[in-house]
Amino acid sequence: MTDPLAALRLDPAGVSAAEARLLRKITADPTIVVDLAITDLAVLCETSAATIARFAQKLGFTGYRQFRFELAQALSRERGDRERHGLDEDDVLAEDDVQSVIAKVAYQEARAIERTAQAMDGAEVDAVAALVSSAARTDIFGIGASMLAAIDLHLKLVRIGAPAWCVSDVHLALVQAATRGPGDVVIGISHSGTTHEVIELLRLARAGGATTVALTNVPDSPLTAHADHVLCTVARESRFRIGAMSSRTAQLAVIDIIFTRIVQSSGDAARDMLRRTREIITGHNDAAR
């Protein structure tokens, strides 16, 4: 069954003006779908009942009735989760004390991992893991906070001797993407799926014949238009999002899952390499003491 809250992660640029109004209203307050009949929601959003029904189908539901029912169930589950964690509200508020902030941030990040895991496509995970395992080289690109996730995957792949690269200089990244071809894998990471540089890097790599992978929170985004494979996170940032928080946590969870599958499929060779590199680092640290 489609997760109604995850289904709302549509790129506003990819919908009609009427659908964009619906998306803004529902995303801001999903309870209006539960509370309002389709005709009342149409009046509130200045559109028609037919448009709302088509929008629900676009999200993956048979119609508004199913979307309304599934959204009510999802909101009820979230409310139950908050109650179990002792939270009336999961968003961080300006007046929250430190203990409330600790509880809310922990809840948000744990929830992001849980929802991401529930939504992951196992076949797509294994397809990406197999591609990286056999790639002539793998380039991982991210900008800003997503660069942290790109670096993490790069470090993991290097630990098992995989030919992987991750650069922070955009000009060098453009050159690398433009010179990738068949047999190469290029992974672009962008929470929003709208980061211009990452979109351009994936476009260039794909044009050269490389296999491209997008890791994003928005499956219907400009980034995924240039991806052969898409890995999705399900994360919602709080209003106090200064930098990536839940989104970064969800990205790292996906990377850990992909890497684990790579190590599993590589057998003893990868595990031996992990052991050797761990021993080298441990020996280096011991000698420096």
Coordinates of all heavy atoms in Angstrom, one line a residue, residues 81-179:
D81 N 2.7 7.1 17.7 CA 4.1 7.1 17.9 C 4.5 8.2 18.8 O 5.4 8.1 19.7 CB 4.8 7.2 16.6 CG 4.8 5.9 15.8 OD1 4.5 4.9 16.4 OD2 5.1 5.9 14.6
R82 N 4.0 9.4 18.6 CA 4.3 10.5 19.4 C 3.9 10.3 20.9 O 4.7 10.6 21.8 CB 3.7 11.8 18.9 CG 4.2 12.4 17.6 CD 3.8 13.8 17.4 NE 2.4 13.9 17.3 CZ 1.7 13.8 16.2 NH1 2.3 13.5 15.0 NH2 0.4 14.0 16.1
E83 N 2.8 9.7 21.1 CA 2.3 9.5 22.5 C 3.2 8.5 23.2 O 3.5 8.6 24.4 CB 0.8 8.9 22.4 CG -0.2 10.0 22.0 CD -1.6 9.4 21.8 OE1 -1.7 8.2 21.9 OE2 -2.5 10.2 21.6
R84 N 3.7 7.5 22.4 CA 4.6 6.5 23.1 C 5.9 7.1 23.5 O 6.6 6.7 24.4 CB 4.8 5.3 22.1 CG 3.7 4.3 22.0 CD 4.1 3.1 21.3 NE 4.4 3.3 19.9 CZ 3.5 3.3 19.0 NH1 2.2 3.1 19.3 NH2 3.8 3.5 17.7
H85 N 6.3 8.2 22.7 CA 7.5 8.9 23.1 C 7.3 10.1 24.0 O 8.2 10.8 24.3 CB 8.2 9.4 21.8 CG 8.9 8.3 21.0 ND1 8.2 7.5 20.2 CD2 10.2 8.0 20.9 CE1 9.0 6.6 19.6 NE2 10.2 6.9 20.0
G86 N 6.0 10.2 24.5 CA 5.7 11.3 25.4 C 5.7 12.7 24.8 O 5.9 13.7 25.4
L87 N 5.4 12.7 23.5 CA 5.4 14.0 22.7 C 4.0 14.4 22.3 O 3.3 13.6 21.7 CB 6.3 13.9 21.5 CG 7.8 13.6 21.7 CD1 8.5 13.4 20.4 CD2 8.4 14.7 22.6
D88 N 3.6 15.6 22.6 CA 2.3 16.1 22.1 C 2.5 16.7 20.7 O 1.6 16.7 19.8 CB 1.8 17.3 23.0 CG 1.4 16.8 24.4 OD1 0.9 15.6 24.4 OD2 1.7 17.5 25.3
E89 N 3.7 17.1 20.4 CA 4.1 17.8 19.1 C 5.5 17.4 18.8 O 6.4 17.4 19.7 CB 4.0 19.3 19.3 CG 4.8 20.2 18.4 CD 4.3 20.2 17.0 OE1 3.1 20.6 16.8 OE2 5.0 20.0 16.1
D90 N 5.7 16.9 17.6 CA 7.1 16.4 17.2 C 8.0 17.5 16.6 O 9.1 17.3 16.4 CB 7.0 15.2 16.3 CG 6.4 15.5 14.9 OD1 5.7 16.6 14.8 OD2 6.7 14.8 14.0
D91 N 7.4 18.7 16.3 CA 8.2 19.7 15.7 C 8.9 20.5 16.9 O 8.2 20.8 17.9 CB 7.4 20.6 14.8 CG 8.2 21.2 13.7 OD1 9.4 21.1 13.7 OD2 7.6 21.8 12.8
V92 N 10.1 21.0 16.7 CA 10.8 21.8 17.7 C 10.2 23.2 17.7 O 10.1 23.8 16.7 CB 12.3 21.8 17.4 CG1 13.0 22.7 18.5 CG2 12.9 20.4 17.5
L93 N 9.9 23.6 18.9 CA 9.3 25.0 19.1 C 10.3 25.9 19.7 O 11.2 25.4 20.4 CB 8.0 24.9 19.9 CG 6.9 23.9 19.4 CD1 5.8 23.9 20.4 CD2 6.5 24.3 18.1
A94 N 10.2 27.2 19.5 CA 11.1 28.2 20.0 C 11.2 28.1 21.5 O 12.3 28.3 22.1 CB 10.8 29.6 19.5
E95 N 10.1 27.8 22.2 CA 10.1 27.8 23.7 C 10.5 26.5 24.3 O 10.5 26.3 25.5 CB 8.7 28.2 24.1 CG 7.6 27.2 23.7 CD 6.9 27.6 22.4 OE1 7.6 28.3 21.6 OE2 5.8 27.1 22.2
D96 N 10.8 25.5 23.5 CA 11.1 24.1 24.0 C 12.4 24.2 24.9 O 13.4 24.9 24.6 CB 11.4 23.1 22.9 CG 10.1 22.6 22.3 OD1 9.0 22.8 23.0 OD2 10.1 22.1 21.2
D97 N 12.4 23.4 26.0 CA 13.6 23.3 26.8 C 14.5 22.2 26.2 O 14.1 21.6 25.2 CB 13.2 23.0 28.3 CG 12.5 21.7 28.4 OD1 12.5 20.8 27.6 OD2 11.8 21.5 29.5
V98 N 15.6 22.0 26.8 CA 16.6 21.1 26.2 C 16.2 19.7 26.2 O 16.4 19.0 25.2 CB 18.0 21.3 27.0 CG1 17.9 20.8 28.4 CG2 19.1 20.5 26.2
Q99 N 15.4 19.3 27.2 CA 15.0 17.9 27.2 C 13.9 17.6 26.1 O 13.9 16.6 25.5 CB 14.4 17.5 28.6 CG 15.4 17.5 29.7 CD 16.5 16.5 29.4 OE1 16.3 15.4 28.9 NE2 17.8 16.8 29.8
S100 N 13.1 18.6 25.9 CA 12.1 18.5 24.8 C 12.8 18.4 23.4 O 12.4 17.7 22.5 CB 11.1 19.7 24.8 OG 10.4 19.7 26.0
V101 N 13.9 19.2 23.2 CA 14.6 19.2 22.0 C 15.3 17.9 21.8 O 15.3 17.3 20.7 CB 15.7 20.4 22.0 CG1 16.6 20.2 20.8 CG2 15.0 21.7 21.9
I102 N 15.9 17.3 22.9 CA 16.5 16.0 22.8 C 15.5 15.0 22.3 O 15.8 14.2 21.4 CB 17.2 15.6 24.1 CG1 18.4 16.5 24.4 CG2 17.6 14.2 24.1 CD1 18.9 16.4 25.8
A103 N 14.3 15.0 23.0 CA 13.3 14.0 22.7 C 12.8 14.1 21.3 O 12.6 13.1 20.5 CB 12.2 14.1 23.7
K104 N 12.6 15.3 20.8 CA 12.0 15.6 19.5 C 12.9 15.3 18.4 O 12.6 14.6 17.4 CB 11.5 17.0 19.4 CG 10.2 17.3 20.2 CD 9.7 18.7 20.1 CE 8.4 18.9 20.9 NZ 7.9 20.3 20.7
V105 N 14.2 15.7 18.5 CA 15.2 15.4 17.5 C 15.4 13.9 17.4 O 15.5 13.3 16.3 CB 16.5 16.2 17.8 CG1 17.6 15.7 16.8 CG2 16.3 17.7 17.6
A106 N 15.5 13.2 18.5 CA 15.7 11.8 18.5 C 14.5 11.1 17.8 O 14.7 10.2 17.0 CB 15.9 11.3 19.9
Y107 N 13.3 11.6 18.1 CA 12.1 11.0 17.5 C 12.1 11.2 16.0 O 11.8 10.3 15.2 CB 10.9 11.6 18.2 CG 9.6 11.2 17.4 CD1 9.0 10.0 17.6 CD2 9.0 12.2 16.5 CE1 7.8 9.7 16.9 CE2 7.9 11.8 15.8 CZ 7.3 10.6 16.0 OH 6.1 10.3 15.3
Q108 N 12.4 12.4 15.6 CA 12.4 12.7 14.2 C 13.4 11.9 13.4 O 13.1 11.4 12.3 CB 12.6 14.2 14.0 CG 11.5 15.1 14.4 CD 12.0 16.6 14.5 OE1 13.1 16.9 14.2 NE2 11.0 17.5 14.8
E109 N 14.6 11.7 13.9 CA 15.6 11.0 13.2 C 15.3 9.5 13.2 O 15.5 8.8 12.2 CB 17.0 11.3 13.8 CG 17.3 12.8 13.7 CD 18.8 13.1 13.6 OE1 19.6 12.2 13.5 OE2 19.1 14.3 13.5
A110 N 14.8 9.0 14.3 CA 14.4 7.6 14.4 C 13.3 7.3 13.4 O 13.2 6.3 12.7 CB 14.1 7.1 15.8
R111 N 12.3 8.2 13.4 CA 11.2 8.1 12.5 C 11.6 8.1 11.0 O 11.1 7.4 10.2 CB 10.2 9.2 12.8 CG 8.9 9.1 12.0 CD 8.0 8.0 12.4 NE 6.8 8.0 11.8 CZ 6.2 6.9 11.3 NH1 6.7 5.7 11.4 NH2 5.0 7.0 10.7
A112 N 12.6 9.0 10.7 CA 13.0 9.1 9.3 C 13.7 7.8 8.9 O 13.4 7.3 7.7 CB 14.1 10.2 9.2
I113 N 14.5 7.1 9.7 CA 15.1 5.9 9.4 C 14.0 4.8 9.2 O 14.0 4.0 8.2 CB 16.1 5.4 10.4 CG1 17.3 6.4 10.5 CG2 16.5 4.0 10.2 CD1 18.2 6.1 11.6
E114 N 13.0 4.8 10.1 CA 11.9 3.8 10.1 C 11.1 3.9 8.8 O 10.9 2.9 8.1 CB 11.1 3.9 11.3 CG 9.9 2.9 11.3 CD 9.0 3.1 12.5 OE1 9.3 4.0 13.4 OE2 7.9 2.5 12.6
R115 N 10.7 5.1 8.5 CA 9.9 5.3 7.3 C 10.6 5.1 6.0 O 10.1 4.6 5.0 CB 9.3 6.7 7.3 CG 8.3 7.0 8.4 CD 7.7 8.3 8.4 NE 6.9 8.5 7.2 CZ 6.5 9.7 6.8 NH1 6.7 10.8 7.5 NH2 5.8 9.8 5.7
T116 N 11.9 5.4 6.0 CA 12.7 5.2 4.8 C 12.9 3.7 4.6 O 12.7 3.2 3.5 CB 14.1 5.8 5.0 OG1 14.0 7.3 5.1 CG2 15.0 5.5 3.9
A117 N 13.1 3.0 5.7 CA 13.3 1.5 5.6 C 12.0 0.9 5.1 O 12.0 0.0 4.2 CB 13.7 0.9 6.9
Q118 N 10.8 1.3 5.6 CA 9.6 0.8 5.1 C 9.3 1.0 3.6 O 8.7 0.2 3.0 CB 8.4 1.4 6.0 CG 8.4 0.9 7.4 CD 7.4 1.7 8.3 OE1 6.9 2.8 7.9 NE2 7.2 1.2 9.5
A119 N 9.8 2.2 3.2 CA 9.5 2.5 1.8 C 10.5 2.0 0.8 O 10.3 2.1 -0.4 CB 9.4 4.1 1.7
M120 N 11.6 1.5 1.2 CA 12.7 1.1 0.3 C 12.3 -0.1 -0.6 O 11.6 -1.0 -0.1 CB 14.0 0.7 1.1 CG 14.7 2.0 1.6 SD 16.3 1.6 2.2 CE 17.2 1.5 0.6
D121 N 12.7 0.0 -1.8 CA 12.5 -1.1 -2.8 C 13.7 -2.0 -2.8 O 14.7 -1.7 -3.2 CB 12.3 -0.4 -4.2 CG 12.0 -1.4 -5.3 OD1 12.3 -2.6 -5.1 OD2 11.4 -1.0 -6.3
G122 N 13.4 -3.2 -2.3 CA 14.6 -4.2 -2.1 C 15.2 -4.5 -3.5 O 16.4 -4.7 -3.5
A123 N 14.4 -4.6 -4.5 CA 15.0 -5.0 -5.8 C 15.9 -3.9 -6.3 O 16.9 -4.1 -6.9 CB 13.8 -5.2 -6.8
E124 N 15.5 -2.6 -6.1 CA 16.3 -1.5 -6.5 C 17.6 -1.4 -5.7 O 18.6 -1.1 -6.2 CB 15.5 -0.2 -6.3 CG 16.1 1.0 -7.1 CD 15.8 1.0 -8.6 OE1 15.7 -0.1 -9.2 OE2 15.8 2.0 -9.2
V125 N 17.5 -1.7 -4.4 CA 18.7 -1.8 -3.5 C 19.7 -2.7 -4.1 O 20.9 -2.4 -4.2 CB 18.3 -2.1 -2.1 CG1 19.5 -2.5 -1.3 CG2 17.5 -1.0 -1.4
D126 N 19.2 -4.0 -4.4 CA 20.1 -5.0 -4.9 C 20.7 -4.6 -6.3 O 21.8 -5.0 -6.6 CB 19.4 -6.3 -4.9 CG 19.5 -7.0 -3.6 OD1 20.2 -6.6 -2.7 OD2 18.8 -8.1 -3.4
A127 N 19.9 -4.0 -7.1 CA 20.3 -3.6 -8.4 C 21.5 -2.6 -8.3 O 22.5 -2.7 -9.0 CB 19.2 -3.0 -9.2
V128 N 21.3 -1.6 -7.4 CA 22.4 -0.6 -7.2 C 23.6 -1.2 -6.6 O 24.7 -1.0 -7.1 CB 21.9 0.6 -6.4 CG1 23.0 1.5 -6.0 CG2 20.7 1.3 -7.1
A129 N 23.4 -2.1 -5.7 CA 24.6 -2.8 -5.0 C 25.3 -3.6 -6.1 O 26.6 -3.6 -6.1 CB 24.1 -3.7 -3.9
A130 N 24.6 -4.3 -6.9 CA 25.3 -5.1 -8.0 C 26.1 -4.2 -9.0 O 27.2 -4.6 -9.4 CB 24.3 -6.0 -8.7
L131 N 25.5 -3.1 -9.3 CA 26.1 -2.2 -10.3 C 27.4 -1.6 -9.7 O 28.4 -1.6 -10.4 CB 25.2 -1.0 -10.6 CG 24.0 -1.4 -11.6 CD1 23.0 -0.3 -11.5 CD2 24.6 -1.6 -13.0
V132 N 27.4 -1.2 -8.4 CA 28.6 -0.6 -7.8 C 29.6 -1.7 -7.6 O 30.8 -1.5 -7.8 CB 28.2 0.0 -6.4 CG1 29.5 0.4 -5.7 CG2 27.3 1.2 -6.6
S133 N 29.2 -2.9 -7.3 CA 30.2 -4.0 -7.1 C 30.9 -4.3 -8.4 O 32.1 -4.7 -8.3 CB 29.4 -5.3 -6.6 OG 28.8 -5.1 -5.4
S134 N 30.3 -4.2 -9.5 CA 31.0 -4.6 -10.8 C 31.4 -3.3 -11.6 O 32.0 -3.5 -12.7 CB 30.0 -5.4 -11.6 OG 28.8 -4.6 -11.9
A135 N 31.3 -2.1 -11.1 CA 31.6 -0.9 -11.8 C 33.1 -0.8 -12.0 O 33.9 -1.1 -11.2 CB 31.0 0.3 -11.1
A136 N 33.4 -0.2 -13.2 CA 34.8 0.1 -13.5 C 35.3 1.2 -12.5 O 36.4 1.2 -12.0 CB 35.0 0.6 -14.9
R137 N 34.4 2.1 -12.2 CA 34.6 3.1 -11.2 C 33.2 3.7 -10.8 O 32.3 3.7 -11.6 CB 35.6 4.2 -11.6 CG 35.1 5.1 -12.7 CD 36.0 6.2 -13.0 NE 36.0 7.3 -12.0 CZ 36.9 8.2 -11.8 NH1 38.1 8.1 -12.5 NH2 36.8 9.1 -10.9
T138 N 33.2 4.2 -9.5 CA 31.9 4.8 -9.0 C 32.2 6.2 -8.6 O 33.2 6.4 -7.7 CB 31.3 4.0 -7.9 OG1 31.0 2.7 -8.3 CG2 30.1 4.7 -7.3
D139 N 31.5 7.2 -9.1 CA 31.7 8.5 -8.6 C 30.4 8.9 -7.8 O 29.3 8.6 -8.3 CB 31.8 9.5 -9.8 CG 33.1 9.3 -10.5 OD1 34.1 10.0 -10.1 OD2 33.2 8.5 -11.5
I140 N 30.6 9.5 -6.7 CA 29.5 9.9 -5.8 C 29.5 11.4 -5.7 O 30.5 12.0 -5.3 CB 29.6 9.3 -4.4 CG1 29.8 7.8 -4.6 CG2 28.3 9.5 -3.7 CD1 31.1 7.3 -4.0
F141 N 28.4 12.1 -6.0 CA 28.3 13.5 -5.9 C 27.2 14.0 -5.0 O 26.1 13.5 -5.0 CB 28.1 14.1 -7.3 CG 29.1 13.8 -8.4 CD1 28.8 13.1 -9.5 CD2 30.4 14.2 -8.1 CE1 29.8 12.9 -10.5 CE2 31.4 13.9 -9.1 CZ 31.1 13.2 -10.2
G142 N 27.5 15.1 -4.2 CA 26.6 15.7 -3.4 C 27.1 17.1 -3.1 O 28.3 17.4 -3.2
I143 N 26.1 18.0 -2.9 CA 26.5 19.4 -2.6 C 26.0 19.8 -1.2 O 24.9 19.4 -0.8 CB 25.8 20.4 -3.7 CG1 26.3 20.0 -5.1 CG2 26.1 21.8 -3.3 CD1 27.8 20.3 -5.3
G144 N 26.7 20.6 -0.5 CA 26.3 21.0 0.8 C 26.2 19.8 1.8 O 27.1 19.0 1.9
A145 N 25.1 19.7 2.5 CA 24.9 18.7 3.5 C 24.9 17.3 2.8 O 25.4 16.3 3.5 CB 23.6 18.9 4.2
S146 N 24.5 17.2 1.6 CA 24.5 15.9 0.9 C 25.9 15.4 0.6 O 26.1 14.2 0.3 CB 23.6 15.9 -0.4 OG 22.3 16.1 -0.1
M147 N 26.8 16.3 0.6 CA 28.2 15.9 0.4 C 28.7 15.0 1.6 O 29.5 14.1 1.4 CB 29.1 17.2 0.3 CG 30.6 16.9 0.4 SD 31.2 15.8 -1.0 CE 31.2 17.0 -2.3
L148 N 28.1 15.2 2.8 CA 28.5 14.4 3.9 C 28.1 12.9 3.6 O 28.9 12.0 4.0 CB 27.8 14.9 5.2 CG 28.1 16.3 5.6 CD1 27.2 16.7 6.8 CD2 29.6 16.4 6.0
A149 N 26.9 12.7 3.1 CA 26.5 11.4 2.7 C 27.4 10.8 1.6 O 27.7 9.6 1.6 CB 25.1 11.4 2.3
A150 N 27.7 11.6 0.6 CA 28.6 11.2 -0.5 C 30.0 10.8 0.0 O 30.5 9.7 -0.4 CB 28.7 12.3 -1.5
I151 N 30.5 11.5 1.0 CA 31.8 11.2 1.5 C 31.8 9.9 2.3 O 32.7 9.1 2.2 CB 32.3 12.3 2.4 CG1 32.7 13.6 1.6 CG2 33.5 11.9 3.3 CD1 33.0 14.8 2.4
D152 N 30.7 9.7 3.0 CA 30.5 8.5 3.8 C 30.5 7.2 2.9 O 31.2 6.3 3.2 CB 29.2 8.5 4.6 CG 29.0 7.4 5.5 OD1 29.8 7.3 6.5 OD2 28.2 6.5 5.3
L153 N 29.8 7.3 1.8 CA 29.8 6.1 0.9 C 31.1 6.0 0.3 O 31.6 4.8 0.1 CB 28.7 6.3 -0.2 CG 28.6 5.2 -1.2 CD1 28.4 3.9 -0.6 CD2 27.5 5.5 -2.2
H154 N 31.8 7.0 -0.1 CA 33.1 7.0 -0.7 C 34.1 6.3 0.3 O 34.8 5.3 -0.1 CB 33.7 8.4 -1.0 CG 35.1 8.4 -1.5 ND1 36.0 9.3 -0.9 CD2 35.7 7.7 -2.4 CE1 37.2 9.1 -1.5 NE2 37.0 8.1 -2.4
L155 N 34.1 6.7 1.6 CA 35.0 6.1 2.5 C 34.7 4.6 2.7 O 35.6 3.8 2.9 CB 34.9 6.8 3.9 CG 35.4 8.2 3.9 CD1 35.1 8.9 5.3 CD2 36.9 8.3 3.7
K156 N 33.4 4.2 2.7 CA 33.1 2.8 2.9 C 33.6 2.0 1.7 O 34.1 0.9 1.9 CB 31.6 2.7 3.0 CG 31.0 3.1 4.4 CD 29.5 2.9 4.4 CE 29.0 3.0 5.9 NZ 29.3 4.2 6.6
L157 N 33.4 2.5 0.5 CA 33.8 1.7 -0.7 C 35.3 1.6 -0.8 O 35.8 0.6 -1.2 CB 33.3 2.4 -2.0 CG 31.7 2.4 -2.1 CD1 31.3 3.2 -3.4 CD2 31.2 0.9 -2.3
V158 N 36.0 2.7 -0.4 CA 37.5 2.6 -0.4 C 38.0 1.5 0.6 O 39.0 0.9 0.3 CB 38.1 4.0 -0.1 CG1 39.6 3.9 0.2 CG2 37.8 5.0 -1.2
R159 N 37.3 1.4 1.7 CA 37.7 0.4 2.7 C 37.7 -1.0 2.1 O 38.4 -1.9 2.7 CB 36.7 0.4 3.9 CG 36.9 1.6 4.8 CD 38.2 1.5 5.7 NE 38.2 0.2 6.5 CZ 37.6 0.1 7.6 NH1 36.9 1.1 8.2 NH2 37.7 -1.1 8.3
I160 N 36.9 -1.3 1.1 CA 36.9 -2.7 0.5 C 37.6 -2.7 -0.8 O 37.4 -3.7 -1.6 CB 35.4 -3.2 0.4 CG1 34.6 -2.3 -0.5 CG2 34.8 -3.4 1.8 CD1 33.2 -2.9 -0.8
G161 N 38.3 -1.7 -1.1 CA 39.1 -1.6 -2.4 C 38.3 -1.3 -3.6 O 38.9 -1.5 -4.7
A162 N 37.1 -0.8 -3.5 CA 36.3 -0.5 -4.7 C 36.8 0.8 -5.3 O 37.2 1.7 -4.6 CB 34.9 -0.3 -4.3
P163 N 36.9 0.9 -6.6 CA 37.3 2.1 -7.3 C 36.3 3.2 -7.2 O 35.4 3.3 -8.0 CB 37.6 1.7 -8.7 CG 36.6 0.5 -8.9 CD 36.5 -0.2 -7.6
A164 N 36.4 4.0 -6.2 CA 35.4 5.1 -5.9 C 36.0 6.4 -5.8 O 37.1 6.5 -5.2 CB 34.5 4.7 -4.7
W165 N 35.3 7.5 -6.2 CA 35.8 8.8 -6.1 C 34.7 9.7 -5.6 O 33.5 9.5 -6.0 CB 36.3 9.3 -7.5 CG 37.6 8.8 -7.9 CD1 38.8 9.5 -7.8 CD2 38.0 7.5 -8.4 NE1 39.9 8.7 -8.2 CE2 39.4 7.5 -8.6 CE3 37.2 6.4 -8.7 CZ2 40.0 6.4 -9.1 CZ3 37.9 5.3 -9.2 CH2 39.3 5.3 -9.4
C166 N 35.1 10.8 -4.9 CA 34.1 11.8 -4.4 C 34.9 13.1 -4.3 O 35.9 13.1 -3.6 CB 33.5 11.4 -3.1 SG 32.5 12.6 -2.3
V167 N 34.5 14.1 -5.0 CA 35.2 15.4 -5.0 C 34.3 16.5 -4.6 O 33.1 16.4 -4.9 CB 35.9 15.7 -6.4 CG1 36.9 14.6 -6.7 CG2 34.8 15.8 -7.5
S168 N 34.8 17.5 -4.0 CA 34.0 18.7 -3.5 C 34.1 19.8 -4.5 O 33.2 20.7 -4.5 CB 34.4 19.1 -2.1 OG 35.8 19.5 -2.1
D169 N 35.1 19.8 -5.3 CA 35.2 20.9 -6.3 C 34.2 20.7 -7.5 O 34.3 19.7 -8.2 CB 36.7 21.0 -6.8 CG 36.9 22.2 -7.8 OD1 36.5 22.0 -9.0 OD2 37.4 23.2 -7.3
V170 N 33.4 21.6 -7.7 CA 32.3 21.5 -8.7 C 32.9 21.4 -10.1 O 32.4 20.6 -10.9 CB 31.3 22.6 -8.6 CG1 30.3 22.5 -9.8 CG2 30.5 22.6 -7.3
H171 N 33.9 22.2 -10.4 CA 34.5 22.1 -11.7 C 35.1 20.7 -12.0 O 35.0 20.2 -13.1 CB 35.6 23.2 -11.9 CG 35.0 24.6 -12.0 ND1 35.8 25.7 -12.2 CD2 33.7 25.0 -12.0 CE1 35.0 26.8 -12.2 NE2 33.7 26.4 -12.1
L172 N 35.9 20.2 -11.0 CA 36.4 18.9 -11.2 C 35.3 17.8 -11.3 O 35.4 16.9 -12.1 CB 37.3 18.5 -10.0 CG 38.0 17.2 -10.0 CD1 38.8 17.0 -11.3 CD2 38.9 17.0 -8.8
A173 N 34.3 18.0 -10.5 CA 33.1 17.1 -10.6 C 32.5 17.1 -12.0 O 32.2 16.0 -12.5 CB 32.1 17.4 -9.5
L174 N 32.4 18.3 -12.6 CA 31.8 18.4 -13.9 C 32.7 17.6 -14.9 O 32.2 16.9 -15.8 CB 31.7 19.8 -14.3 CG 30.5 20.6 -13.7 CD1 30.7 22.1 -13.9 CD2 29.2 20.1 -14.2
V175 N 34.0 17.8 -14.8 CA 35.0 17.1 -15.7 C 34.8 15.6 -15.5 O 34.8 14.8 -16.5 CB 36.4 17.5 -15.4 CG1 37.4 16.6 -16.2 CG2 36.6 19.0 -15.8
Q176 N 34.8 15.1 -14.3 CA 34.6 13.7 -14.0 C 33.3 13.1 -14.6 O 33.3 12.1 -15.2 CB 34.7 13.4 -12.5 CG 36.1 13.6 -11.9 CD 36.2 13.1 -10.5 OE1 35.2 13.0 -9.8 NE2 37.4 12.8 -10.0
A177 N 32.2 13.8 -14.4 CA 31.0 13.4 -14.9 C 30.9 13.3 -16.4 O 30.4 12.4 -17.0 CB 29.8 14.3 -14.3
A178 N 31.5 14.3 -17.0 CA 31.5 14.4 -18.5 C 32.4 13.3 -19.1 O 32.2 13.0 -20.3 CB 32.0 15.8 -18.9
T179 N 33.3 12.7 -18.4 CA 34.2 11.7 -18.9 C 33.9 10.3 -18.5 O 34.6 9.4 -18.8 CB 35.7 12.0 -18.5 OG1 35.8 12.1 -17.1 CG2 36.2 13.3 -19.2

